[in-house]
Amino acid sequence: MNEHYFSARPASPAETRVIDVVLRGRPVRVRTAPGVFSGDRLDPGTRVLLDAAPEPVPTGTLVDLGCGWGPITLALADAAPDARVVAVDVNERARDLTARNATALGYGNVVVADPEDAADLVADGIDELWSNPPIRIGKQALHELLRTWLGRLAPGGRALLVVSKNLGGDSLHRWIESELALPTSRLASAKGFRVLDVRRPSA
């Protein structure tokens, strides 16, 4: 079935499967399905991000942009139980899987939403955003997505983005600094991926 994980309504059968993964040192059992990003495993880039990221802020609003079946959401919810974690995805199957996985693991601090509804949930600003952004939607759409969501960072907020070097990680680093005027550093580089640390200066 030829479809993209960023389709709003995947056409492939929604046959879930259970896989065992390790998220920031914690073994968990989760449900995945076809038609979502990396539906059969923990994506290598996501693993690099989760391994490199420091502890998130303990309270406030945390966002997983492009949640897929929810590995980043689950890691954030576990690390910051007193924070609200907003899982965002255009893909309704991804949102359903993330919600089911969060519930199964007992994370009551997770809210799952499509991008339109999520905008209202983060109206007061995002304290921390972690994302393996959908590079394959194309450069223009990716830039528009990041311009929107990085623009929602609260003063003093940060974003951690993992991007393949071969898919433009270094050029995206330069674009964020030059076009969005947000200080950006390379937090980590491993297995062909860059982890970018984007900051919004405090007011």
Side-chain angles (χ1 to χ4, degrees), residues 58-146:
T59 61
T61 297
L62 313 181
V63 169
D64 172 10
L65 180 61
C67 61
W69 52 261
I72 293 174
T73 294
L74 302 176
L76 286 171
D78 185 70
D82 294 324
R84 179 180 61 163
V85 180
V86 180
V88 185
D89 207 298
V90 298
N91 185 318
E92 64 181 11
R93 186 175 298 169
R95 297 196 301 271
D96 177 66
L97 287 166
T98 296
R100 292 172 66 180
N101 287 329
T103 297
L105 292 169
Y107 297 134
N109 57 333
V110 171
V111 180
V112 181
D114 63 30
E116 185 174 340
D117 291 338
D120 293 332
L121 296 173
V122 302
D124 292 333
I126 299 168
D127 297 289
E128 201 151 326
L129 181 152
W130 293 10
S131 180
N132 186 341
I135 298 297
R136 296 187 187 280
I137 62 176
K139 182 179 291 187
Q140 182 175 345
L142 176 69
H143 286 177
E144 183 177 330
L145 179 74
L146 293 179

Side-chain angles (χ1 to χ4, degrees), residues 7-106:
S7 301
R9 293 182 174 85
S12 57
E15 298 175 354
T16 64
R17 59 179 292 194
V18 174
I19 63 172
D20 294 303
V21 296
V22 178
L23 305 177
R24 289 172 68 85
R26 184 186 179 194
V28 295
R29 179 161 289 180
V30 297
R31 286 195 173 274
T32 66
V36 302
F37 176 64
S38 194
D40 59 351
R41 61 175 181 160
L42 178 62
D43 174 73
T46 299
R47 184 184 298 279
V48 168
L49 171 60
L50 293 178
D51 288 347
E55 289 298 299
V57 292
T59 61
T61 297
L62 313 181
V63 169
D64 172 10
L65 180 61
C67 61
W69 52 261
I72 293 174
T73 294
L74 302 176
L76 286 171
D78 185 70
D82 294 324
R84 179 180 61 163
V85 180
V86 180
V88 185
D89 207 298
V90 298
N91 185 318
E92 64 181 11
R93 186 175 298 169
R95 297 196 301 271
D96 177 66
L97 287 166
T98 296
R100 292 172 66 180
N101 287 329
T103 297
L105 292 169

Side-chain angles (χ1 to χ4, degrees), residues 168-200:
D170 293 337
S171 62
L172 185 64
H173 183 161
R174 293 190 294 270
W175 179 83
I176 292 171
E177 288 201 314
S178 63
E179 295 297 321
L180 303 185
L182 294 173
T184 302
S185 61
R186 186 189 300 169
L187 178 67
S189 181
K191 300 178 182 177
F193 293 93
R194 308 294 203 211
V195 179
L196 305 181
D197 186 341
V198 184
R199 304 283 182 138
R200 178 167 295 283

